[in-house]
Amino acid sequence: MCGVVGILGHHDAFPELVAGLTALQHRGQDAAGIVTFDGGFKLRKGLGQVNSVFNGNRDDFLSGPMGLGHVRYSTHGANEALDAQPFAVNYPFGIAMVHNGNVVNFQQLRRSLYQENHRLVQTTCDVELILYTLASELETKNLADISVEEIFESVAATQRRVDGAYSTLAIIANVGFLAFTDPYGIRPLLMGRKLTDRGMSYAFASESNCFDYLGYEFLRDLRPGEAIFIDTQRRVHSRICEARKPSFCVFEYIYFALEDSILKGRTVAGERVRMSRKLAQTFRNTGLEPDIVIDVPSSAYFFASGMAEELGIPYRRGLVKNPHMGRSFLKPDQESRERVVQQKLNPIKGVVEGKKVAVVDDSIVRGTTSRHLVKLLKGAGAAEVYFVSASPPFRYRCVYGIDMSIKREMLAANYEVHEIAHYMGAEAVVYQKLEDLKELYQDLPCCFACFSGEYPTHVSNSLLDAIERERVYSKSK
Ligand code: AMP
């Protein structure tokens, strides 16, 4: 999962790009990068968070009224500076690109780009594949006077060749600004605008909170398979190029997006509360009687408080999170994951001591966090611990950009619920039910593949295994 932001303004885009990336920092903390266009592309990227890569200072090098920014969460490829986005290519026109998602048919695409288009893919970053595919398709058009129609045809051809999830932003030098999603619209991409003293500025971002911080008016989400092209006269053109069954990633609402963001017209906080009501029903049916409900900060707050309210049980803040620790989940091995989890969360003894505690998290993947928390809560004197997951059990690998591609690491893919409770040392484990989640999203077709195994794109077992091998290999580097 990553975050992208694009600015097509009249003044300096750089400060807005930095502020936008900072608002999206939760979507990726491995690397950050910015490209601006000022007659030529100016590009800077590196490993680490936005404030360490861009140092909080003005950057005179990154000049120009338009640009693209990216924060990276690596699910594919090695975590090397080389793989950080943006990427740029000099022909045709000069194109710079960022994307959020994951290309699934990377092996076949790499081969076809070399054999058919004579382009050598040099990194393991999948935006290179999308960029070269788009460049190869544009190359076949009338470059002396390319039309909007030809741009959209090139996007459609790219969407037919590239399988997977990709919400993409591109600057085509002296031609225009381009935004498009994959035909299923798996990852979010939103458009905003702001009237300035020199005319209309446009912004694109992975989440609407970005527009709030930058003072842009939110216009709309891109539709599945849609491309928006803004030409050099600032005329906005849009087209659904290649659309298939809409499949928005439901995990965006559960975990990835921040609570204040609005995706597909729904506030993330409100979605979590809706999910918490279903979770409460399931919990009630277990007959368990906790004294308090606590959350694993911070993504589970609305699940826990909503569930407590529905059950009529007090919600308490029972765990404190050290905000300066990085993400445990993304560490390459179990030992370092456990080390980060240990330094990240601490129980408030006075709150949990002697209590039967229902602790709610957004998800259980490998069980590292939950197992450690049960130990901590019991160490702090909790009488009983019931671990509640706002996600249904993850039984299938995600190939669309969530780092869940190694099956043997996924608890629910390998064990029954009572075995998971035993492993964690909890009195009970309660999961959200997949059918409840599906019921909540009857009116918004979502991707539930990591829970159900129903992948929107074509995904064979051999492809899943190839992705898993690639992930295991890159983590071992
Ligand atoms: P685990 O400790 O492996 O069971 O993972 C669950 C914890 O990691 C939960 O606290 C989640 O908030 C967080 N989490 C779940 N999925 C992801 C993901 N794909 N990337 C980063 N963090 C995640």
Side-chain angles (χ1 to χ4, degrees):
M1 189 72 48
C2 300
V4 295
V5 58
I7 299 287
L8 175 54
H10 296 274
H11 301 275
D12 243 1
F14 176 77
E16 293 194 342
L17 290 166
V18 171
L21 288 183
T22 308
L24 296 175
Q25 186 75 85
H26 58 284
R27 298 184 68 87
Q29 297 167 1
D30 295 341
I34 285 179
V35 65
T36 56
F37 182 71
D38 195 7
F41 288 123
K42 317 277 179 71
L43 198 158
R44 212 189 281 293
K45 56 189 178 179
L47 291 182
Q49 301 198 15
V50 180
N51 58 4
S52 67
V53 176
F54 296 103
N55 219 357
N57 298 327
R58 248 246 47 86
D59 191 328
D60 291 332
F61 170 67
L62 292 170
S63 58
M66 65 175 93
L68 309 173
H70 188 266
V71 284
R72 178 165 202 250
Y73 156 112
S74 55
T75 50
H76 185 99
N79 186 27
E80 288 171 357
L82 206 62
D83 276 350
Q85 300 188 32
F87 272 63
V89 70
N90 68 350
Y91 177 81
F93 306 110
I95 310 172
M97 187 179 273
V98 291
H99 100 113
N100 167 32
N102 207 40
V103 173
V104 171
N105 60 336
F106 55 94
Q107 284 176 334
Q108 175 222 330
L109 207 50
R110 202 179 287 152
R111 232 184 352 259
S112 87
L113 281 168
Y114 192 69
Q115 289 169 356
E116 290 162 32
N117 306 107
H118 313 289
R119 288 177 183 267
L120 179 67
V121 175
Q122 305 222 60
T123 70
T124 50
C125 181
D126 49 4
V127 79
E128 214 190 345
L129 299 166
I130 309 171
L131 175 60
Y132 291 177
T133 308
L134 179 69
S136 305
E137 296 300 335
L138 284 170
E139 209 178 56
T140 64
K141 308 298 181 202
N142 171 21
L143 298 184
D145 186 22
I146 193 157
S147 65
V148 173
E149 185 59 37
E150 286 174 309
I151 305 256
F152 287 142
E153 280 170 14
S154 306
V155 172
T158 302
Q159 289 167 321
R160 285 192 292 272
R161 285 180 72 179
V162 184
D163 251 2
Y166 42 94
S167 284
T168 310
L169 299 175
I171 294 173
I172 309 176
N174 303 311
V175 174
F177 194 103
L178 181 65
F180 61 95
T181 75
D182 61 80
Y184 306 87
I186 297 173
R187 299 271 153 238
L189 190 59
L190 295 76
M191 181 182 184
R193 70 174 174 199
K194 172 161 72 179
L195 189 59
T196 71
D197 51 353
R198 293 201 214 154
M200 197 61 86
S201 289
Y202 293 94
F204 292 84
S206 301
E207 287 185 37
S208 67
N209 69 342
C210 231
F211 302 140
D212 302 335
Y213 288 115
L214 299 181
Y216 279 72
E217 171 202 355
F218 163 66
L219 271 180
R220 64 182 183 86
D221 295 73
L222 267 75
R223 285 165 287 176
E226 184 177 14
I228 294 183
F229 175 68
I230 306 179
D231 63 28
T232 48
Q233 310 299 308
R234 304 278 166 129
R235 284 177 301 230
V236 179
H237 312 265
S238 78
R239 169 90 46 96
I240 307 283
C241 296
E242 276 285 312
R244 302 199 193 115
K245 185 174 174 278
S247 308
F248 185 63
C249 170
V250 77
F251 205 51
E252 288 282 347
Y253 288 127
I254 299 176
Y255 175 73
F256 267 105
L258 274 195
E259 290 93 335
D260 54 338
S261 282
I262 301 172
L263 302 176
K264 308 276 177 195
R266 297 157 188 242
T267 310
V268 172
E271 291 309 287
R272 292 185 186 167
V273 173
R274 279 187 344 120
M275 292 185 225
S276 78
R277 306 281 186 239
K278 292 281 186 196
L279 199 54
Q281 279 169 23
T282 304
F283 192 90
R284 188 178 284 122
N285 293 337
T286 62
L288 295 166
E289 292 185 343
D291 301 310
I292 54 170
V293 179
I294 68 169
D295 59 320
V296 181
S298 6
S299 44
Y301 168 76
F302 285 99
F303 297 122
S305 55
M307 182 177 114
E309 192 174 82
E310 186 76 13
L311 292 173
I313 298 170
Y315 159 79
R316 295 279 182 266
R317 169 60 36 108
L319 289 163
V320 172
K321 179 174 167 182
N322 177 344
H324 307 291
M325 291 303 297
R327 276 202 178 144
S328 54
F329 190 88
L330 298 175
K331 295 286 170 201
D333 57 80
Q334 189 58 16
E335 203 184 317
S336 38
R337 281 195 288 269
E338 280 174 15
R339 204 170 36 245
V340 176
V341 171
Q342 262 165 32
Q343 292 167 23
K344 196 160 146 182
L345 293 159
N346 204 23
I348 304 175
K349 202 165 191 266
V351 174
V352 300
E353 197 168 23
K355 302 277 192 339
K356 289 188 279 181
V357 180
V359 51
V360 185
D361 202 356
D362 57 81
S363 58
I364 302 167
V365 185
R366 306 180 189 99
T368 315
T369 311
S370 40
R371 186 172 191 223
H372 178 69
L373 283 180
V374 173
K375 202 163 116 202
L376 278 185
L377 291 168
K378 294 220 164 158
E384 295 197 356
V385 177
Y386 316 130
F387 207 95
V388 184
S389 164
S391 299
F394 287 113
R395 297 210 164 96
Y396 300 89
R397 292 166 277 195
C398 174
V399 293
Y400 305 122
I402 296 179
D403 188 15
M404 252 182 267
S405 52
I406 305 178
K407 195 162 187 184
R408 70 178 140 79
E409 287 187 348
M410 296 162 61
L411 270 188
N414 301 290
Y415 299 100
E416 297 298 323
V417 177
H418 70 273
E419 292 173 307
I420 295 174
H422 180 73
Y423 169 76
M424 283 181 196
E427 272 64 31
V429 169
V430 180
Y431 281 100
Q432 178 79 286
K433 287 194 177 137
L434 177 57
E435 61 262 34
D436 285 344
L437 204 57
K438 284 190 169 174
E439 196 188 308
L440 286 176
Y441 290 96
Q442 275 170 345
D443 53 345
L444 175 68
C446 282
C447 174
F448 299 99
C450 53
F451 308 123
S452 68
E454 296 150 348
Y455 295 94
T457 66
H458 175 70
V459 175
S460 63
N461 280 336
S462 60
L463 180 65
L464 286 170
D465 292 342
I467 292 172
E468 175 156 342
R469 272 196 306 278
E470 196 280 340
R471 189 65 187 139
V472 171
Y473 173 72
S474 60
K475 280 193 170 189
S476 69
K477 287 213 311 191

